[in-house]
Amino acid sequence: MEADMSFIGLFLEASLVVKAVMILLVLMSILSWALIIQRRKILNGAQQNALEFEERFWSGVDLAKLYKEVTARGGKAAGTEHLFQSGFREFARLRQVRSMDAVSVMSGTQRAMRVAHSREVDSLEKNLSVLATIGSISPYIGLFGTVWGIMNSFIALGSVQQATLQMVAPGIAEALIATAMGLFAAIPAVIAYNKFSTQVAAIDGSYINFAEEFTGILQRQAATAPGQTAGREQGATREQEA
């Protein structure tokens, strides 16, 4: 009887182990693409939000007014907004303590921004390790299915007097499909992981730069008279910082 050489036919004729490998690789590929779509949306959104907020921040708006705008939106601030909100809130609170000098105020402010920065980067890197894992192990899982399938094919040939290509081809073909599926799952995951890692590093760099620039502004304000509260802070412009 002529063997069905279609993908479905080869899958149905495969051994239970090879079938399990193929199903596992299909699930890993689906998970990989779901994470790729999710991470792409989140990272692109984080980049856009950072650009928009920095444009607003450097427009010369009063910092106290900007803080009220961010807080009034409700919900949890994210990205650069979160760094600004955490730093300004801690700065305003510590400046109300008369016994604290400018150094202590800035130390507490920087600590609050470091915590916010760490949480934001952790959020951006979420599930990237899953993509890295899929990209690294999928080819080996597919190779395992291929080796198992070819091994079974040669074992079956031991019981016949004369082996022909028609007898060997289906078993080898179904085994090689496992390797192809492993590569199909791995390649997009590896490409996406490298792209997203670069994107996270760029966003992280923008967070660090903003925190340093914001710290410089607050440091000058901390050196003013303690009676001048953070609610009277002046806005920031690139020209002022230059």
Side-chain angles (χ1 to χ4, degrees), residues 7-211:
F7 177 82
I8 299 298
L10 291 173
F11 172 78
L12 294 176
E13 292 297 325
S15 66
L16 289 177
V17 173
V18 177
K19 284 180 181 177
V21 168
M22 291 181 181
I23 292 172
L24 176 60
L25 290 172
V26 168
L27 294 177
M28 291 175 69
S29 181
I30 293 173
L31 175 61
S32 172
W33 279 105
L35 292 177
I36 289 171
I37 294 171
Q38 179 202 48
R39 287 291 98 191
R40 182 175 181 272
K41 181 179 179 181
I42 290 175
L43 294 179
N44 288 347
Q47 277 188 321
Q48 184 63 29
N49 291 339
L51 291 173
E52 291 176 356
F53 180 78
E54 286 203 42
E55 183 177 353
R56 174 67 172 152
F57 179 83
W58 294 112
S59 66
V61 65
D62 182 78
L63 298 184
K65 179 182 178 182
L66 181 59
Y67 174 77
K68 290 178 181 178
E69 289 178 4
V70 173
T71 306
R73 292 194 194 111
K76 183 181 178 181
T80 312
E81 282 189 357
H82 188 197
L83 269 66
F84 168 78
Q85 186 183 52
S86 299
F88 193 85
R89 180 174 56 233
E90 188 69 6
F91 179 78
R93 187 181 68 83
L94 294 177
R95 288 203 71 188
Q96 304 305 314
V97 181
R98 295 183 177 275
S99 60
M100 297 195 72
D101 57 15
V103 174
S104 299
V105 170
M106 290 310 304
S107 177
T109 301
Q110 289 174 315
R111 185 163 52 249
M113 284 196 287
R114 281 196 299 270
V115 172
H117 172 257
S118 177
R119 289 175 178 170
E120 289 302 314
V121 173
D122 286 344
S123 176
L124 294 177
E125 292 178 339
K126 185 178 180 181
N127 292 329
L128 288 188
S129 60
V130 178
L131 283 177
T133 301
I134 292 174
S136 61
I137 69 173
S138 293
Y140 295 105
I141 294 176
L143 183 60
F144 169 75
T146 296
V147 171
W148 189 274
I150 292 176
M151 179 182 68
N152 285 339
S153 295
F154 280 111
I155 290 175
L157 289 177
S159 60
V160 300
Q161 294 293 331
Q162 185 176 3
T164 64
L165 181 61
Q166 188 176 6
M167 296 173 60
V168 177
I172 294 179
E174 70 188 30
L176 291 176
I177 286 178
T179 296
M181 293 178 66
L183 295 175
F184 180 79
I187 292 173
V190 171
I191 293 174
Y193 174 78
N194 291 335
K195 180 181 183 300
F196 293 156
S197 295
T198 302
Q199 200 169 0
V200 168
I203 297 172
D204 183 25
S206 71
Y207 288 168
I208 293 173
N209 291 337
F210 174 81

